[in-house]
Amino acid sequence: MDFLTLFAIYVVLVLTCIVLVCKYSGQQQTPFNTLFNYIVKVFAPITPKWLQKFSQWTLHRLFHQRNNMFIYLHILLEEMDTTLTSLSVPYILLAIKNFFFYLCIKRDPGTVTKRKVAGQLHIYPYDRRLFHPGVSCPTCQLVKPARSKHCRLCNRCVQRFDHHCVWVNNCIGALNTRYFLLYLFSVCAMAGDIALLTADMLLHAVLRSGLLGASYIDEYGEQQPAGPLFVVQHLFLTFPRIVFMLGFLVFVFFLLAGYALFHSYLALVNQTSNEWYKSRGYFCQHCHPTSTADHLCSPAPDHSKRYYYSRGLLRNLGEIFFPPQPVQKKDN
């Protein structure tokens, strides 16, 4: 049972890391920051200055600026998963996934520009709760349309901003949310398909070996039928890498499926992850202590619906796959 124990420890560690990341996401003071600062404080006196500067530059480059490293890593991981089988279905799914992956990278998410801002201001009304009229972006020097947000990584304001995805090195906004959703579902389909093929291969290996009808001598010298645990242990000992890969694929499938379902839910209610996150700890943009505005906000209207921009399931989905375009004023 050594391999089962190792695999159980592996799963527990991964799940623990995910729970901790989800719990402390968005917080300034976390145990991760405390531990990192302590390690830096301990090793700083014995670390060369050039290595400290290089480490700081690398971390800043990876997580605070746009870069293509995560795109290359993503493609490398996909190639590692799909070269284990010669069947055509995973490669078809890989082609579909890469197509949507490319669209997520290259398509404009809905950048707010001086030429388009006049029309973008009329796409969505201000809810006067999370978004208020007359608020300008201090970086872009443009009036912010409702549901827009400035991305510090891309250094631009994005219409209907959802989030910045490091895997596609681009913002997810009004014009590429549809591609991002289809990309997530295609990745889930590919991971699920490879997991099924791998499980089918292991099942055929068990059936051909005749383990289901076999027996073994236990530690007390008695003959015992080979049960499920014995078969699993045999697979771990015979195909350790394949079994670990299958466990990883199943874990990744459920993780991505949960993320895809979350974004599907947001699409159905016409809400972005930025709005969902802000609504959990709602604060007024004008009255917040960190705001530089001198005036108080107007009284917020009493909305009976929780989701201000929802217009029904079909219209919400239509807005995702056929996003409204800025109103262009004709020159007389």
Side-chain angles (χ1 to χ4, degrees):
M1 300 297 291
D2 292 338
F3 282 97
L4 288 176
T5 304
L6 289 175
F7 185 73
I9 294 174
Y10 164 76
V11 172
V12 170
L13 287 176
V14 173
L15 290 176
T16 303
C17 292
I18 292 177
V19 170
L20 291 176
V21 170
C22 294
K23 180 179 179 180
Y24 294 106
S25 178
Q27 299 184 14
Q28 295 294 331
Q29 295 296 331
T30 66
F32 303 107
N33 290 337
T34 304
L35 179 62
F36 179 76
N37 292 333
Y38 176 78
I39 294 175
V40 171
K41 184 178 180 180
V42 170
F43 286 95
I46 59 177
T47 306
K49 292 295 183 180
W50 67 267
L51 184 58
Q52 295 183 27
K53 293 182 179 180
F54 178 77
S55 301
Q56 294 174 358
W57 177 86
T58 302
L59 292 174
H60 179 76
R61 180 69 178 173
L62 288 177
F63 299 104
H64 296 278
Q65 290 183 346
R66 295 187 66 186
N67 64 85
N68 295 324
M69 196 210 71
F70 288 100
I71 296 177
Y72 302 144
L73 178 61
H74 179 94
I75 296 175
L76 177 62
L77 291 175
E78 297 297 342
E79 291 296 331
M80 290 174 60
D81 284 341
T82 54
T83 52
L84 296 176
T85 177
S86 59
L87 300 180
S88 60
V89 175
Y91 289 98
I92 295 174
L93 293 174
L94 177 62
I96 296 174
K97 180 208 69 75
N98 284 338
F99 174 70
F100 292 124
F101 183 58
Y102 174 81
L103 293 178
C104 288
I105 295 173
K106 291 298 182 181
R107 288 300 176 93
D108 177 36
T111 306
V112 179
T113 62
K114 292 182 179 180
R115 184 174 63 87
K116 298 179 180 179
V117 66
Q120 291 171 330
L121 288 172
H122 296 86
I123 294 180
Y124 297 108
Y126 293 93
D127 62 355
R128 297 181 180 274
R129 183 173 180 266
L130 298 176
F131 307 102
H132 298 268
V135 177
S136 298
C137 174
T139 304
C140 300
Q141 299 297 318
L142 296 172
V143 179
K144 298 177 66 174
R147 312 188 75 180
S148 67
K149 185 180 183 298
H150 183 85
C151 176
R152 59 183 178 84
L153 297 178
C154 299
N155 195 29
R156 61 183 175 183
C157 285
V158 177
Q159 176 191 350
R160 199 184 182 278
F161 178 85
D162 190 275
H163 70 286
H164 181 91
C165 181
V166 296
W167 290 106
V168 300
N169 194 28
N170 198 6
C171 290
I172 305 301
L175 302 184
N176 64 350
T177 299
R178 49 186 170 176
Y179 305 128
F180 182 71
L181 277 174
L182 295 173
Y183 164 71
L184 286 179
F185 282 113
S186 62
V187 172
C188 291
M190 190 176 67
D193 180 73
I194 297 176
L196 289 176
L197 290 174
T198 306
D200 182 71
M201 185 272 292
L202 293 175
L203 177 61
H204 279 78
V206 171
L207 294 176
R208 286 194 302 267
S209 64
L211 279 177
L212 295 180
S215 59
Y216 67 98
I217 305 299
D218 62 11
E219 56 185 355
Y220 301 104
E222 298 180 0
Q223 186 175 1
Q224 300 290 344
L229 290 179
F230 181 85
V231 173
V232 172
Q233 184 178 12
H234 173 77
L235 291 176
F236 267 111
L237 294 173
T238 310
F239 311 104
R241 295 182 181 180
I242 297 179
V243 174
F244 268 100
M245 188 199 72
L246 176 60
F248 177 75
L249 283 173
V250 172
F251 175 77
V252 169
F253 170 78
F254 282 107
L255 183 65
L256 290 175
Y259 190 61
L261 289 177
F262 171 69
H263 275 277
S264 300
Y265 162 77
L266 294 179
L268 291 175
V269 299
N270 203 340
Q271 191 178 41
T272 65
S273 59
N274 176 56
E275 295 163 3
W276 174 83
Y277 180 78
K278 285 184 175 180
S279 63
R280 294 195 307 166
Y282 161 71
F283 62 87
C284 176
Q285 294 181 1
H286 292 238
C287 304
H288 195 261
T290 59
S291 176
T292 56
D294 297 329
H295 57 283
L296 296 178
C297 66
S298 303
D302 183 17
H303 300 301
S304 58
K305 295 192 301 182
R306 180 181 178 184
Y307 304 103
Y308 180 80
Y309 295 102
S310 179
R311 300 185 299 162
L313 296 181
L314 294 180
R315 289 188 177 182
N316 291 341
L317 289 177
E319 186 176 306
I320 293 295
F321 290 95
F322 305 98
Q325 300 297 324
V327 179
Q328 299 291 342
K329 293 184 179 181
K330 297 183 178 179
D331 297 332
N332 296 329

